Amino acid sequence: MSPAPAAAAAAAPRCSADPATRGGGGDASHRPHPEPERGRSPSEAGARARPEPERGRSPSEAGARARPEPERGRSTRDAESAFLCFRCAAVTTPPASESSSPFRFLLCATTRPLQSPVRMYQRLVACSGDANCGRGEAPEAFILGLQAMAGPFTNRTFQVFRLPPSCGRSAKRQGWSLRASGVLAMRPSAETVIQPCASREPEMAEVLPQHKFELRSLDDYLSLHLPGFAQLEATLSVAQYRFGQSNPTFCLKKGAQAYVLRKKPPGPLLPKAHKIDREFEIQKGLYSVGFPVPKPLLYCSDTSVIGTEFYVMEHIQGRIFRDFTVPGVSPAECSAIYVAMIETLARLHSLSIQSLQLEGYGRGAGYCKRQVSTWMKQYQAAAHQEIPAMNQLCDWLQRNLPDDNEECLIHGDFKLDNIIFHPKEARVIAVLDWELSTIGHPLSDLAHLSLFYFWPRTIPMINQSSYVQDTKGLPSMEELVSIYCHCRGISPSVSNWNFFMALSFFKMAGIAQGVYSRYLLGNNSSENSFMFANIVKPLAERGLQLAKRTFCPPLSQLDPKSQLFVQTRAGWKVLSRVKQFMEQHILPAEQEVIEFYFQNQNSVDKWRKPLVIDKLKEMAKEAGLWNLFLPDISGLSQVDYAFIAEETGKCFFAPDVFNCQAPDTGNMEVLHLFGSPEQKQQWLEPLLEGSITSAFCMTEPDVASSDATNIECSIQRDGDSYVISGRKWWSSGAGNPKCKIAIVMGRTGNSSESRHGQHSMILVPLETPGVELVRPLSVFGYMDNLHGGHFEVHFNHVRVPATNLILGEGKGFAIAQGRLGPGRIHHCMRTVGLAERALQLMCERAAQRVAFKKKLYEHEVVAHWIAESRIAIEQTRLLTLKAAHSIDTVGSVHARKEIAMIKVAAPRAACAVIDRAIQVFGAAGVSQDYPLANMYALTRTLRLADGPDEVHLSAIARMELQDQARRLPARM
């Protein structure tokens, strides 16, 4: 639970020994910025706070230990001072609405425990002359007393004591346990000459008495079960990480080898808490897919070894930043650290639960309701006093539960000090403390990460040295949310944000109560656990405030004027759900589908679809992700659907799952726009339902079909029927067992009519006598089984009712223009998604493989391929969106030039990207082990489908010349 220990941190997680450059900026739970008392210089403040002689020593002896403060300008390392009083610059006067009894601390640098902290505090107050202190009133800031040993202040360990709000009473009567709360390092203000440095080993200390275990038993067990451990010839030593309030964490060292051990706390525990086995399970799954976590090495359920269950993981060397303001780093690095953190969170939420094999890890739907219930029960089980705000907050959360239909793997305690960064780079190398991980709503993690923006100023931030103010380089909450949404490709309009912020504070209050409860039971994991007693109420009150707060305008809502192509709110929501469906259900099934077609490529089942696709189709239909391509049904614009089509283009069978596959989308558009009521009832409705599929028959083997006026298949009227005779090929989808209807384009008019008024389209049921499926045609050797193949079809005097004619005789070209407009945009945007997938595979391969002693991406040519691919994809996406926007605003007819341009640009760009990816993969790229060869075959075909590039280029040139000609008179 929060705050997490540095489970796998390096021995020295700070950047350097210099406190000005140290990455974490300090090592304690509370690290204030002291400054001199207002109105006094540092030397004056020191003069007002002279210690009285220690008992048993003469004044001269005491003076030897309490030397005067150095003059300004002297080196810090020469500083020797008796006593200094200063105020904490980081803690300001809280508003009246937030005021409460202050915390007070005494800072000591003695070699032995201070015998009477309260007496020393009283003495300090008397010396400082602070009028507020000693009467229990809220001072302007915390008063810190620093008793120095004779000698320099560098590399000094300080003890921190928490004192009762009223220093006039004894600690015993107040019920305070005056224990050292941990090691603390101060970051003084610029006016303060004394700057104590952090220890080089600030994260670890001696094992707490309640957590000690038998080292010999552990050594014997690890020697038997941990590979390589027995070969280490050294004595096993252990130290405990001092941060963290839940599962105790230890650093094991044997010679030069270090490990991290994490175990359950001893004694009675809250139900369903401290599940060590779950932590190990989730880290094992995440490590297997390359997510940055320490490598889990061993899990032990035998409590006889050290008294509780435990697991061992690798020790990772890097930086942990305990302060959310990240002091000591440049603003640029601070921003980079936060961007890396939020990108990692987005990556976590984008992982497939199935690929991690964690289907049973959480209970899924209903996460928010369960969280409210669970944390209220945890709080009630641990409560030591009645806090009305907790009950009120719980009631509000229960009344305002959001729609809880988004599920992904969540961390549960994702924040800066649970992350290890690279020693020199702003790059996440490990995420720690997975105790609260589960399957739930991703916004709960995002809200938990944003807690520090709203932390009450009346209480110290856990593990922090300062409050978030106008710190340079620290992103705003809106910026963090915007980056997160961009990384996940979801709407920046975050709904129910107040609920998730309130839930996060409710959860933190429950955690704080549990930490204090463990302190009372004597099985606390940290020395400062007693401090959590008085922060529960302020956290609950802040949660209530946020619950009633309206975050308006929506977080990170971009100004439509600043965007090229604006997606509607409904479009954003559907896109988010499609992405989630893809990640959770479709992509995990990809290998199974590939193996099905590979195994059945020569069997009678080669045209049948695997059962998993039928199951996914039912799931998509139930989720409302069905027929998204048709605006009148989905309510989406062409721009909305363009983004969705890009997402579905990343997997070859994804469009089929959403009933958005070609050629059915084009055929359904034709029937929707031009079909008669009878045609719609008979054919459109079952197509929309997904109970049947269709084929489109236009191209002919005997003529150059790129000029559609060459089409020779005849459609002749004979009474109340039409007779169709001719040969077609590349009739996509005809081999699908569910294919029941074909739209056939043929010649109905005579030669006296215009070239574009001689052709018509007609509906032909494939079961009609005379329809013959002659043979399937391969595409670069691929049969394209999923889509029902591409067949040569002969129509041998096929007779159908005259009512099957669509729109009327001579309307074939008009229908074709309507069919190939929006439908072609769908093809192009799916192609962009395909190119994105190819680039992803290229980058993964380039990062994994080594050639000539360098990673592939370190070779300049490969780096240039990656860059050129990104440029091409972005250009193509923008052109496709412009075409979609034109269809939305001026219609398909007036968007012909944009449609023609993207028909050329999209396949060309995608082919180039896929070709580069194949080069990076080498011979593997053209094998069945990877999808690149099939990707290339299908994408290269698009440069011929619906007309070759050259035809579109000629049309673009003609329209451009016409546009230029119209502009010329205007200029004159």
Side-chain angles (χ1 to χ4, degrees):
M1 292 186 183
S2 174
R14 305 296 183 255
C15 296
S16 71
D18 183 356
T21 60
R22 183 169 293 114
D27 315 294
S29 300
H30 307 280
R31 293 156 298 195
H33 299 257
E35 66 179 8
E37 290 186 83
R38 295 181 183 177
R40 299 188 185 127
S41 67
S43 57
E44 291 174 331
R48 292 289 305 270
R50 304 295 185 194
E52 58 190 29
E54 294 183 37
R55 294 185 180 181
R57 288 186 180 162
S58 66
S60 60
E61 290 175 331
R65 294 181 56 82
R67 300 179 184 176
E69 177 187 351
E71 297 178 3
R72 290 195 181 190
R74 289 183 62 186
S75 169
T76 299
R77 296 184 179 275
D78 297 332
E80 296 177 8
S81 176
F83 221 66
L84 286 180
C85 299
F86 14 14
R87 297 182 182 277
C88 173
V91 185
T92 58
T93 304
S97 61
E98 297 182 2
S99 62
S100 65
S101 297
F103 292 139
R104 299 191 180 157
F105 299 90
L106 180 61
L107 198 68
C108 300
T110 59
T111 56
R112 64 181 188 276
L114 196 62
Q115 296 299 317
S116 178
V118 173
R119 185 174 301 168
M120 180 61 72
Y121 183 81
Q122 291 171 333
R123 199 185 319 160
L124 166 65
V125 172
C127 292
S128 70
D130 191 296
N132 286 330
C133 287
R135 296 207 301 264
E137 300 175 10
E140 292 181 359
F142 299 162
I143 302 298
L144 301 178
L146 178 61
Q147 180 187 6
M149 293 177 58
F153 275 76
T154 56
N155 297 312
R156 189 70 68 202
T157 298
F158 296 92
Q159 288 180 300
V160 185
F161 294 87
R162 181 176 176 182
L163 299 166
S166 175
C167 56
R169 301 177 183 177
S170 70
K172 187 173 182 180
R173 287 205 306 270
Q174 278 287 325
W176 291 97
S177 176
L178 296 175
R179 308 161 54 113
S181 64
V183 173
L184 182 145
M186 290 191 306
R187 287 190 299 100
S189 63
E191 297 180 31
T192 308
V193 297
I194 296 177
Q195 291 184 328
C197 295
S199 167
R200 289 296 296 171
E201 191 72 42
E203 298 284 332
M204 290 179 282
E206 185 179 352
V207 178
L208 293 175
Q210 64 267 33
H211 295 152
K212 288 187 177 180
F213 49 82
E214 179 58 48
L215 269 183
R216 177 171 296 180
S217 176
L218 178 64
D219 196 347
D220 293 342
Y221 183 87
L222 296 181
S223 296
L224 289 174
H225 297 90
L226 184 59
F229 190 86
Q231 285 70 46
L232 300 174
E233 297 180 357
T235 302
L236 177 64
S237 64
V238 61
Q240 184 169 2
Y241 287 104
R242 63 179 67 256
F243 289 102
Q245 302 295 340
S246 185
N247 292 327
T249 309
F250 309 86
C251 180
L252 307 179
K253 288 188 177 180
K254 195 168 186 181
Q257 186 67 42
Y259 303 92
V260 174
L261 181 146
R262 194 158 157 90
K263 75 181 190 73
K264 282 188 174 184
L269 303 173
L270 292 174
K272 298 183 180 180
H274 310 283
K275 297 292 185 181
I276 287 292
D277 55 334
R278 281 172 58 85
E279 288 190 43
F280 184 80
E281 179 185 0
I282 186 61
Q283 284 188 222
K284 185 177 179 181
L286 289 169
Y287 186 81
S288 68
V289 298
F291 188 82
V293 292
K295 182 180 180 180
L297 302 174
L298 175 146
Y299 172 74
C300 176
S301 59
D302 185 356
T303 58
S304 66
V305 179
I306 62 171
T308 67
E309 302 168 39
F310 69 91
Y311 70 92
V312 178
M313 55 185 159
E314 70 173 336
H315 180 279
I316 293 182
Q317 194 161 9
R319 297 179 293 171
I320 292 182
F321 299 98
R322 297 293 178 192
D323 192 326
F324 282 106
T325 60
V326 199
V329 303
S330 67
E333 186 178 3
C334 178
S335 297
I337 286 168
Y338 269 84
V339 170
M341 176 175 62
I342 206 70
E343 287 177 342
T344 303
L345 181 62
R347 179 184 173 189
L348 172 66
H349 293 165
S350 300
L351 291 175
S352 165
I353 299 171
Q354 285 76 13
S355 65
L356 295 171
Q357 298 181 349
L358 294 173
E359 290 87 345
Y361 191 71
R363 294 167 60 185
Y367 167 80
C368 293
K369 182 177 181 180
R370 287 196 305 275
Q371 282 288 289
V372 176
S373 175
T374 297
W375 285 107
M376 192 59 189
K377 291 178 182 177
Q378 297 277 37
Y379 164 74
Q380 291 171 343
H384 69 289
Q385 61 179 332
E386 182 70 18
I387 300 179
M390 281 295 287
N391 298 324
Q392 295 170 18
L393 181 55
C394 179
D395 292 341
W396 185 92
L397 291 169
Q398 290 175 335
R399 293 194 310 269
N400 294 273
L401 291 169
D403 294 335
D404 196 4
N405 52 10
E406 187 171 2
E407 299 174 17
C408 67
L409 176 63
I410 61 173
H411 182 276
D413 193 21
F414 192 91
K415 52 194 177 70
L416 188 65
D417 59 351
N418 271 339
I419 296 172
I420 301 178
F421 290 86
H422 188 277
K424 296 182 179 180
E425 303 172 16
R427 175 163 58 87
V428 174
I429 57 176
V431 179
L432 310 175
D433 195 1
W434 293 88
E435 182 188 356
L436 297 180
S437 61
T438 187
I439 306 301
H441 201 294
L443 285 185
S444 62
D445 269 350
L446 188 59
H448 184 78
L449 179 61
S450 305
L451 278 174
F452 67 95
Y453 289 108
F454 302 99
W455 196 266
R457 293 181 179 271
T458 56
I459 59 175
M461 293 185 70
I462 300 171
N463 280 358
Q464 303 304 299
S465 68
S466 60
Y467 292 88
V468 178
Q469 298 173 344
D470 295 330
T471 306
K472 291 183 178 180
L474 185 67
S476 67
M477 183 187 70
E478 289 76 13
E479 289 172 328
L480 282 186
V481 174
S482 178
I483 294 169
Y484 171 84
C485 294
H486 174 76
C487 291
R488 291 198 65 205
I490 62 176
S491 169
S493 300
V494 180
S495 58
N496 299 303
W497 186 244
N498 61 329
F499 174 89
F500 287 101
M501 287 304 306
L503 177 62
S504 294
F505 273 98
F506 180 71
K507 177 178 169 182
M508 281 300 299
I511 290 173
Q513 186 62 65
V515 171
Y516 184 68
S517 174
R518 288 195 296 277
Y519 163 74
L520 295 177
L521 294 171
N523 60 356
N524 49 300
S525 298
S526 178
E527 296 172 329
N528 65 348
S529 300
F530 69 93
M531 298 169 53
F532 284 74
N534 283 357
I535 73 173
V536 179
K537 180 181 177 182
L539 291 178
E541 291 173 343
R542 178 48 55 90
L544 272 175
Q545 294 172 8
L546 294 176
K548 300 171 184 177
R549 177 173 173 176
T550 301
F551 290 88
C552 187
L555 294 178
S556 302
Q557 179 63 58
L558 299 175
D559 181 2
K561 295 180 181 179
S562 68
Q563 297 185 74
L564 291 173
F565 309 106
V566 183
Q567 216 176 351
T568 66
R569 186 177 182 85
W572 273 112
K573 289 183 177 180
V574 174
L575 176 62
S576 300
R577 292 166 59 203
V578 167
K579 286 188 172 185
Q580 182 182 5
F581 195 94
M582 290 278 294
E583 293 163 0
Q584 292 184 356
H585 305 296
I586 292 179
L587 293 177
E590 187 176 44
Q591 192 59 37
E592 180 181 346
V593 174
I594 292 173
E595 290 175 358
F596 173 87
Y597 284 115
F598 183 76
Q599 293 169 2
N600 293 280
Q601 57 184 331
N602 296 317
S603 74
V604 294
D605 293 329
K606 61 185 176 182
W607 303 115
R608 183 173 62 83
K609 294 184 180 181
L611 294 177
V612 65
I613 291 184
D614 292 331
K615 180 181 178 181
L616 290 172
K617 288 166 76 77
E618 290 300 319
M619 293 171 62
K621 188 185 295 186
E622 291 176 3
L625 302 175
W626 195 254
N627 295 324
L628 302 174
F629 70 95
L630 204 55
D632 288 346
I633 293 178
S634 65
L636 303 176
S637 67
Q638 291 298 325
V639 171
D640 288 335
Y641 185 68
F643 287 102
I644 295 169
E646 175 181 348
E647 192 66 26
T648 61
K650 295 177 182 179
C651 178
F652 70 100
F653 64 87
D656 194 63
V657 170
F658 301 111
N659 207 39
C660 296
Q661 71 283 353
D664 295 308
T665 51
N667 291 344
M668 285 188 274
E669 284 179 334
V670 167
L671 290 171
H672 177 72
L673 294 172
F674 308 112
S676 67
E678 294 79 12
Q679 292 170 348
K680 291 179 180 179
Q681 182 179 3
Q682 185 176 5
W683 301 113
L684 178 59
E685 290 181 8
L687 283 170
L688 291 172
E689 182 65 24
S691 57
I692 67 170
T693 62
S694 61
F696 185 69
C697 303
M698 178 177 175
T699 307
E700 298 181 4
D702 298 328
V703 297
S705 301
S706 58
D707 180 358
T709 61
N710 288 336
I711 296 298
E712 292 182 341
C713 177
S714 67
I715 304 175
Q716 297 298 324
R717 183 70 181 255
D718 184 12
D720 58 357
S721 301
Y722 280 97
V723 178
I724 301 99
S725 300
R727 299 170 60 200
K728 298 286 185 181
W729 70 346
W730 298 107
S731 299
S732 300
N736 191 328
K738 293 173 64 176
C739 185
K740 303 300 180 184
I741 187 69
I743 295 180
V744 181
M745 185 168 179
R747 187 185 297 272
T748 52
N750 55 49
S751 58
S752 62
E753 298 180 8
S754 67
R755 295 177 64 239
H756 295 94
Q758 300 179 18
H759 296 79
S760 305
M761 289 192 184
I762 194 166
L763 292 163
V764 180
L766 292 189
E767 296 178 352
T768 307
V771 177
E772 179 185 3
L773 301 185
V774 177
R775 59 174 178 144
L777 304 169
S778 66
V779 180
F780 289 100
Y782 292 96
M783 299 307 296
D784 203 4
N785 305 69
L786 174 71
H787 300 106
H790 309 279
F791 273 73
E792 180 176 346
V793 184
H794 292 182
F795 296 90
N796 303 312
H797 303 288
V798 177
R799 183 178 295 271
V800 297
T803 54
N804 281 21
L805 194 70
I806 302 175
L807 195 60
E809 291 191 9
K811 302 296 183 180
F813 276 91
I815 295 171
Q817 289 303 315
R819 181 186 189 279
L820 299 182
R824 196 70 186 121
I825 291 299
H826 306 164
H827 258 319
C828 293
M829 193 45 101
R830 282 196 292 266
T831 302
V832 175
L834 195 72
E836 283 280 11
R837 182 80 185 280
L839 178 57
Q840 176 190 351
L841 293 171
M842 186 198 314
C843 292
E844 289 176 355
R845 186 76 167 189
Q848 293 169 355
R849 307 287 278 198
V850 175
F852 303 103
K853 299 182 180 180
K854 291 195 296 185
K855 294 279 190 179
L856 289 183
Y857 70 82
E858 294 177 325
H859 294 275
E860 189 174 40
V861 64
V862 176
H864 287 185
W865 287 347
I866 293 171
E868 289 167 359
S869 298
R870 172 49 61 198
I871 293 169
I873 290 172
E874 296 300 327
Q875 291 173 332
T876 306
R877 178 184 290 113
L878 287 174
L879 184 54
T880 308
L881 289 171
K882 181 183 179 183
H885 178 70
S886 298
I887 295 172
D888 282 334
T889 53
V890 299
S892 297
V893 174
H894 296 288
R896 285 178 299 171
K897 184 164 74 172
E898 286 79 8
I899 293 171
M901 287 191 290
I902 196 55
K903 286 181 180 181
V904 175
R908 282 186 175 183
C911 280
V913 174
I914 298 169
D915 185 66
R916 297 182 191 117
I918 290 174
Q919 284 298 108
V920 172
F921 271 78
V926 296
S927 73
Q928 73 270 25
D929 290 350
Y930 296 93
L932 293 171
N934 189 38
M935 284 180 177
Y936 186 87
L938 297 177
T939 306
R940 181 61 181 84
T941 307
L942 292 181
R943 295 185 60 191
L944 298 170
D946 297 336
D949 287 358
E950 292 71 22
V951 171
H952 298 309
L953 290 170
S954 296
I956 294 166
R958 184 174 63 253
M959 288 184 279
E960 180 64 23
L961 289 169
Q962 291 171 351
D963 291 343
Q964 294 290 345
R966 280 192 290 269
R967 295 190 188 105
L968 185 60
R971 293 194 189 99
M972 295 174 61

